[in-house]
Amino acid sequence: MTAKRDILGRVRGGVGKGDFAGRRAAAEAVLNARLRGPQPTISDGLIERFRVKAESLASTVDAVSDRKDAPAAVAAYLSANGLPMRVVVAQEIESLDWSGCAIVSAARGAVDSDQVGVTACFCAVAETGTLMLLSGPDSPATVSLLPETHIALVDTSRIVATMEDAFALLRAEREAVPRAINFISGPSRTGDIEQTIVLGAHGPCRVHLILIGISS
Amino acid sequence: MSAAKHSQAMHFHARAGENVRNPVLQRALQKAKPLFVGKRAKGIAALADDGLEFEMLRTACEGIRNRTLADLDVWLDIFEERAITSGAEVLWARDGEEVGRLVVDIARRYGVTKATKSKSMLSEEAHLNEVLAKAGVRPVETDLGEYIVQLAGETPSHIIAPAVHKTIEEIEALFAKEHGRPVETRTSADIPDMTREAREVLRQHFLSAEMGISGANFLIAETGTAALVTNEGNGRMVTTLPKVHVVVTGIEKIVPTLEDFATLMRLLPRSATGQTISNYVSLLTGTKQPGDQDGPEKTVFILVDNGRANLLGSPYQDMLRCIRCGACMNHCPVYFSLGGHAYGWVYPGPMGSVLTPLYTGIENALDLPHASTGCNQCGSVCPVRIPLPKLMHQLREEQVERHLRPWSERLALKAWAWVAGQPVLYRWLTRRAVRYLNWLADDAGRIRIFGLAPGWTAGRDLPVASGRTFHELYKARK
Ligand code: SF4
């Protein structure tokens, strides 16, 4: 407790203002105002922008017209890439017909030996081609983290322009922030050996996105 | 101050000389510089595609950081309150030693034998690895660059590219030894394999560690959240898998809202690596929730002062805006001649030349504020507009005011001031001086060794002037 008192004492001295209560009320007002900084103007449509950016970050992108078609798209990706037809899925998409597409699915958090993890996402950000995942009982954080291949289903009606818009959606739909909000932009990478970029550092080596709601 | 004990910043001159003559280091640095500069330039230029521009975003980022610092006591209060409400514990540490004590304490409480770490420069300030090892906890650095540096028994030489000073041959030797296999001949084509090897070894550490230690790029007051920005995914691992997560970070890292965070994220990755966004941006709040299958059962924030609070309200307050992007060192000719280790403490480059004397004592880092060519590249790329050259200048003035300069320099300055006040003597002396300099020069018009101050010409030549004084030239033109 004394460390806290010392440090805050020094901070108060440095800040050099009185009226803590008044300033605290002003700060709360700032929190409620939710003012945004400069926003980008995104000229393409959001879906197109999202796709282009995601691909530029080394994700691969496929599209289906309906959510129920997603397992078939997953199966096609797995067989095209020589991956096993055995996946761990987030519980939120457990009810899709995986076995109908010859996929053996386990709905749980991922473990080290899982090779493919399939998740949905809370929303996606067009500006940067980014997924926003929220941790929770139906969407364990490990499914998008431990397996070498991460496949994500992206509902195109939930692609927003910016990270600010994603936060606005979060506030509108959830009471509180979850333990982990993970913004994911492509496969993990490192440049730590001679500044050479390598995909697949500690997180997934491959990220495949299936856009839902695009009629072909 | 305890930090001074570990600082090697007083050996800047000696190390600078060694490093300039180290061909392996020079090769590594010369390879990296154009990459860093080119990537940032591209990332910044791409802002225009979205109708944004650097100066406008920079003003916004500078403003966010300034507003936070102006009421830092209030923002810390709000952050602490909301972090606790969300289920985390918040502790405070006055200095590095206190950080060590607190972390070891937590480790004992939870029976921790191994801690995986994601990059945290503050843990370097606290010498946390040493302290943990002494307490019987094995610290494992998991950022690939940090891992390499830890195997080498060194410290990071760059805040975002810790192993930038290492060549592939050096890394191969370290991996062979640690991973128990013979050394192989490696070319850049083998870098993916080497990365894979480290991934497999570190994966086992991620799965078995009981504690994860991370820094935080920002603390978001609105939600009591730690924001972690990484590319490798190691930050996600150490904050998801172990049962205890400890966040060690500075009290200045606060930003008020999620919107402020989003604004800063438009410049942080671009300034650091030229990326529009880093691969993983994680916002971590509280602990594992009811029904959650993963996440830490215990989350502890350690908010560290270690010299920061003293800068508030001082002529150096601007420095607290720093978001640790590394752009200043990536654009610094001095940094790329010497490498990061020459700076002798945790932070290298221009930001280190300002922070090291401020955090470890001005008298313990006399050379650093002089480690500048005055080119202001650092000041012009800094995403939060920190006037780095001006701050270095202020530190130099303070050295003079506090009589910290060597007696020879002080005497010379006094003598100069006196001579400059005597016009006749001044003209006579400068005439003699320029003739002497002209006489010293070789045929190419360069002075190779300057006898009065040999240090000036130890690593460079001094081009000679015309041999006539300004007064003489001026008269001749009239
Ligand atoms: S001083 Fe500015 S440029 Fe340097 S690391 Fe800090 S924020 Fe980046």
Side-chain angles (χ1 to χ4, degrees):
Chain A
M1 234 29 209
T2 53
K4 177 179 169 182
R5 218 183 27 234
D6 278 7
I7 295 169
L8 284 179
R10 271 198 291 272
V11 170
R12 252 175 229 133
V15 164
K17 300 177 189 167
D19 188 24
F20 186 84
R23 287 188 296 125
R24 165 111 198 193
E28 304 271 358
V30 167
L31 294 183
N32 294 327
R34 314 202 195 298
L35 287 184
R36 296 184 179 193
Q39 299 289 289
T41 12
I42 291 174
S43 34
D44 323 334
L46 292 184
I47 298 172
E48 189 48 26
R49 164 76 175 222
F50 174 78
R51 177 204 284 270
V52 168
K53 285 287 164 183
E55 282 174 344
S56 78
L57 296 168
S59 296
T60 49
V61 183
D62 192 4
V64 296
S65 57
D66 196 274
R67 200 174 174 80
K68 68 178 184 340
D69 304 325
V74 170
Y77 176 80
L78 294 177
S79 66
N81 287 278
L83 292 164
M85 300 296 269
R86 177 180 295 276
V87 301
V88 54
V89 300
Q91 282 90 325
E92 58 187 342
I93 51 169
E94 180 181 5
S95 59
L96 290 173
D97 184 14
W98 301 103
S99 59
C101 295
I103 295 173
V104 181
S105 65
R108 51 167 167 77
V111 295
D112 188 37
S113 54
D114 289 322
Q115 290 189 51
V116 181
V118 189
T119 69
C121 60
F122 174 72
C123 71
V125 179
E127 180 183 2
T128 49
T130 300
L131 305 172
M132 183 191 197
L133 272 65
L134 309 183
S135 73
D138 288 341
S139 51
T142 43
V143 181
S144 62
L145 180 62
L146 292 177
E148 272 191 17
T149 303
H150 173 208
I151 301 175
L153 314 188
V154 184
D155 201 326
T156 47
S157 65
R158 296 194 59 96
I159 298 178
V160 297
T162 62
M163 196 182 262
E164 287 90 334
D165 290 341
F167 289 138
L169 202 57
L170 176 73
R171 289 194 188 104
E173 296 183 0
R174 301 276 172 127
E175 303 252 296
V177 290
R179 182 195 68 80
I181 299 173
N182 284 302
F183 290 99
I184 300 176
S185 308
S188 69
R189 66 180 69 204
T190 179
D192 275 342
I193 303 179
E194 297 202 327
Q195 274 56 61
T196 303
I197 300 295
V198 176
L199 296 184
H202 295 303
C205 311
R206 279 175 296 270
V207 173
H208 183 63
L209 309 176
I210 297 173
L211 304 182
I212 295 171
I214 295 184
S215 30
S216 44
Chain B
M1 197 179 283
S2 66
K5 221 169 49 199
H6 293 279
S7 170
Q8 298 289 310
M10 281 307 267
H11 304 299
F12 180 76
H13 255 142
R15 287 179 173 228
E18 279 165 32
N19 291 354
V20 167
R21 286 185 292 274
N22 176 344
V24 180
L25 174 68
Q26 288 301 323
R27 191 147 45 87
L29 291 173
Q30 288 329 311
K31 208 167 168 176
K33 170 144 205 211
L35 291 172
F36 284 147
V37 171
K39 283 180 183 172
R40 174 193 171 274
K42 238 173 113 185
I44 295 292
L47 285 170
D49 302 346
D50 292 342
L52 293 169
E53 50 151 337
F54 180 59
E55 291 304 327
M56 142 181 115
L57 274 169
R58 201 183 187 204
T59 301
C61 292
E62 180 190 11
I64 292 168
R65 299 295 295 132
N66 277 343
R67 283 194 298 280
T68 316
L69 294 170
D71 290 298
L72 189 62
D73 50 345
V74 168
W75 293 115
L76 282 166
D77 194 55
I78 294 176
F79 173 81
E80 184 189 38
E81 188 183 285
R82 301 197 175 190
I84 291 172
T85 309
S86 73
E89 186 179 350
V90 179
L91 302 174
W92 302 73
R94 278 166 285 216
D95 54 27
E97 270 162 53
E98 204 153 27
V99 173
R101 271 202 304 281
L102 292 172
V103 177
V104 167
D105 245 29
I106 301 167
R108 294 235 163 93
R109 245 193 292 155
Y110 289 88
V112 172
T113 58
K114 189 194 307 185
T116 41
K117 293 179 68 203
S118 138
K119 212 155 72 61
S120 150
M121 295 311 289
L122 223 159
S123 97
E124 303 287 336
E125 285 182 43
H127 298 272
L128 197 53
N129 288 355
E130 259 170 65
V131 176
L132 283 171
K134 261 194 215 130
V137 178
R138 179 174 176 193
V140 181
E141 294 289 353
T142 63
D143 172 270
L144 182 58
E146 291 267 0
Y147 178 64
I148 292 165
V149 164
Q150 189 184 27
L151 292 184
E154 296 176 4
T155 53
S157 70
H158 189 288
I159 61 170
I160 57 157
V164 63
H165 61 291
K166 287 275 180 238
T167 59
I168 189 169
E169 292 83 12
E170 293 174 291
I171 296 167
E172 167 61 13
L174 292 166
F175 278 13
K177 185 157 167 254
E178 173 74 10
H179 305 158
R181 58 162 180 81
V183 177
E184 287 172 40
T185 317
R186 298 291 200 178
T187 65
S188 35
D190 299 314
I191 293 176
D193 285 347
M194 294 170 74
T195 304
R196 177 100 213 159
E197 183 179 325
R199 172 188 168 105
E200 275 160 20
V201 172
L202 286 167
R203 180 59 73 98
Q204 295 317 309
H205 289 304
F206 286 129
L207 294 167
S208 56
E210 304 94 344
M211 180 191 265
I213 301 174
S214 74
N217 293 83
F218 299 102
L219 299 171
I220 302 170
E222 175 184 358
T223 46
T225 296
L228 218 59
V229 180
T230 74
N231 279 317
E232 297 186 358
N234 60 319
R236 288 193 63 194
M237 295 279 183
V238 309
T239 61
T240 304
L241 301 176
K243 64 181 176 193
V244 185
H245 173 207
V246 180
V247 185
V248 183
T249 195
I251 51 170
E252 86 285 17
K253 285 287 179 78
I254 300 221
V255 297
T257 63
L258 291 167
E259 280 74 12
D260 292 331
F261 170 73
T263 300
L264 285 157
M265 280 306 293
R266 290 205 174 84
L267 282 192
L268 174 60
R270 281 187 173 89
S271 301
T273 55
Q275 288 169 282
T276 48
I277 188 161
S278 304
N279 287 74
Y280 299 108
V281 176
S282 300
L283 302 182
L284 304 161
T285 312
T287 53
K288 189 171 179 170
Q289 298 296 300
D292 275 0
Q293 300 168 62
D294 45 37
E297 283 148 33
K298 176 81 186 169
T299 302
V300 186
F301 286 93
I302 302 183
L303 305 182
V304 190
D305 181 351
N306 208 29
R308 288 160 173 79
N310 287 338
L311 302 193
L312 281 169
S314 84
Y316 303 101
Q317 174 165 320
D318 288 345
M319 197 60 222
L320 291 175
R321 288 202 296 270
C322 178
I323 58 172
R324 306 286 191 266
C325 71
C328 55
M329 59 200 76
N330 288 346
H331 292 76
C332 178
V334 179
Y335 177 89
F336 275 98
S337 306
L338 308 178
H341 287 150
Y343 292 80
W345 197 57
V346 179
Y347 302 104
M351 52 89 84
S353 293
V354 177
L355 279 179
T356 303
L358 293 174
Y359 287 178
T360 69
I362 290 183
E363 63 286 1
N364 295 315
L366 290 177
D367 290 329
L368 292 188
H370 299 261
S372 153
T373 65
C375 67
N376 192 34
Q377 286 264 13
C378 52
S380 66
V381 295
C382 177
V384 284
R385 209 178 265 132
I386 298 174
L388 291 152
K390 184 185 129 211
L391 296 179
M392 281 190 244
H393 213 96
Q394 264 168 228
L395 282 162
R396 294 190 216 173
E397 279 172 16
E398 206 168 321
Q399 289 181 0
V400 174
E401 277 158 24
R402 289 173 48 185
H403 303 294
L404 291 168
R405 299 306 305 161
W407 66 267
S408 53
E409 185 182 311
R410 278 187 279 150
L411 191 71
L413 276 175
K414 274 211 183 105
W416 168 256
W418 183 78
V419 170
Q422 322 281 324
V424 179
L425 178 63
Y426 177 86
R427 266 178 232 141
W428 184 83
L429 271 175
T430 46
R431 259 198 319 270
R432 291 285 160 293
V434 292
R435 310 272 195 277
Y436 169 68
L437 286 178
N438 221 17
W439 175 80
L440 271 184
D442 63 11
D443 294 341
R446 307 185 80 79
I447 299 173
R448 308 271 175 200
I449 301 169
F450 184 43
L452 287 176
W456 280 6
T457 48
R460 63 195 155 185
D461 297 336
L462 184 65
V464 78
S466 73
R468 300 213 280 157
T469 68
F470 174 74
H471 279 120
E472 287 173 323
L473 292 171
Y474 189 70
K475 235 192 219 151
R477 280 189 63 165
K478 273 211 287 195

